[in-house]
Amino acid sequence: MLFDWDGTLVNSHPLNFRGLSRACASWGLTMDESFYTSRIGTSGAELIRELAAAAGTHVPIDEVVAQCLDLILDEIVELQTYQPVVQLAETLHGSLPLAIASGGARRAVHAGLDATGLRPLFTDVITGEDAPRGKPDPGLFLLTAARLAVAPARCLVYEDSTEGVQAAKDAGMDVVDVRCFRT
């Protein structure tokens, strides 16, 4: 079983939006919540590129992303879980190998695992730094399956984004869109 992190196991979107919008603002870029929400599943770097292009300016993407990550980590203790998905992982723990396959930053995912106490549930944690391209590219899921030594066709992915659902399908995996579990 493969679980996405952001938006699947945890409601990280409020923290991510605050961090990204504050980091962008410090470079003169304005990110409104509707833009952010419409692009869920897109990397922070790509969102910053889009905002800078729309504003006709250039910003140091890596510096803005690093600043955003620091802001997120400052608030990580506020991270909330999505209980229906967490309860599923808790139920499956010990009977099947479970891994996280997240396009998120390694530091943020690991800090979140510690803040929520979910780390013991997962055999492995694969993040955006481990794959050359983000979702919808299937590489992240294929790498996770390989690390678990499980054939992709035997994997079930829990995801919350259109890009992630597409990546799982392109990897030859079954997928559950968890957005139906949120109210």
Side-chain angles (χ1 to χ4, degrees):
M1 301 272 175
L2 283 58
F3 290 82
D4 175 49
W5 178 249
D6 295 300
T8 298
L9 285 162
V10 294
N11 183 12
S12 55
H13 297 311
L15 294 179
N16 292 345
F17 171 71
R18 281 195 304 272
L20 192 54
S21 63
R22 288 175 185 159
C24 284
S26 72
W27 292 91
L29 300 174
T30 302
M31 178 181 299
D32 65 41
E33 196 161 2
S34 64
F35 171 79
Y36 175 81
T37 303
S38 72
R39 307 287 286 137
I40 294 292
T42 304
S43 73
E46 183 58 32
L47 293 175
I48 295 162
R49 266 189 215 89
E50 288 181 34
L51 289 173
T57 189
H58 175 74
V59 297
I61 303 293
D62 291 341
E63 287 182 42
V64 181
V65 168
Q67 183 179 0
C68 170
L69 181 56
D70 288 341
L71 291 166
I72 290 168
L73 293 176
D74 287 346
E75 297 183 23
I76 202 73
V77 296
E78 296 178 27
L79 189 61
Q80 299 294 309
T81 61
Y82 283 120
Q83 278 306 300
V85 182
V86 168
Q87 288 171 347
L88 175 67
E90 289 171 340
T91 300
L92 296 172
H93 175 68
S95 60
L96 293 169
L98 307 180
I100 291 179
S102 171
R106 181 178 292 118
R107 282 177 54 211
V109 174
H110 283 277
L113 282 164
D114 292 337
T116 59
L118 296 177
R119 183 179 299 280
L121 298 177
F122 299 96
T123 304
D124 210 340
V125 178
I126 309 299
T127 64
E129 289 99 333
D130 298 313
R133 289 185 299 273
K135 301 167 189 174
D137 185 86
L140 188 69
F141 288 132
L142 293 170
L143 174 61
T144 307
R147 294 260 296 259
L148 291 176
V150 176
R154 295 184 47 94
C155 292
L156 179 60
V157 175
Y158 292 89
E159 249 302 339
D160 75 306
S161 72
T162 302
E163 291 84 357
V165 168
Q166 187 61 51
K169 288 179 180 179
D170 289 350
M173 300 175 179
D174 289 324
V175 60
V176 174
D177 187 335
V178 301
R179 289 176 279 197
C180 66
F181 298 119
R182 300 194 306 232
T183 55

